[in-house]
Amino acid sequence: GSILGLLIFTVITNLFILNGLNTADQLVAKGVIIVAAVLLQRQSLKSAT
């Protein structure tokens, strides 16, 4: 899971760079992605118990 997450994050970072997104917007977008991933993970753990 960690390696897949790292690969996805790297691809997203490369897409941001290729599209010319500035650094501040990249950081905000990455933060939103991380928060969404954590919330999805917590939700899936709740439903498993």
Side-chain angles (χ1 to χ4, degrees):
S2 298
I3 293 173
L4 181 61
L6 178 65
L7 289 174
I8 291 171
F9 220 72
T10 303
V11 168
I12 290 170
T13 300
N14 288 336
L15 288 173
F16 287 161
I17 291 169
L18 289 173
N19 288 322
L21 218 60
N22 66 29
T23 306
D25 292 339
Q26 287 182 26
L27 292 174
V28 169
K30 288 178 186 178
V32 169
I33 291 168
I34 291 171
V35 169
V38 169
L39 291 175
L40 287 172
Q41 181 69 25
R42 290 185 71 199
Q43 186 67 22
S44 69
L45 287 176
K46 279 185 183 179
S47 64
T49 58

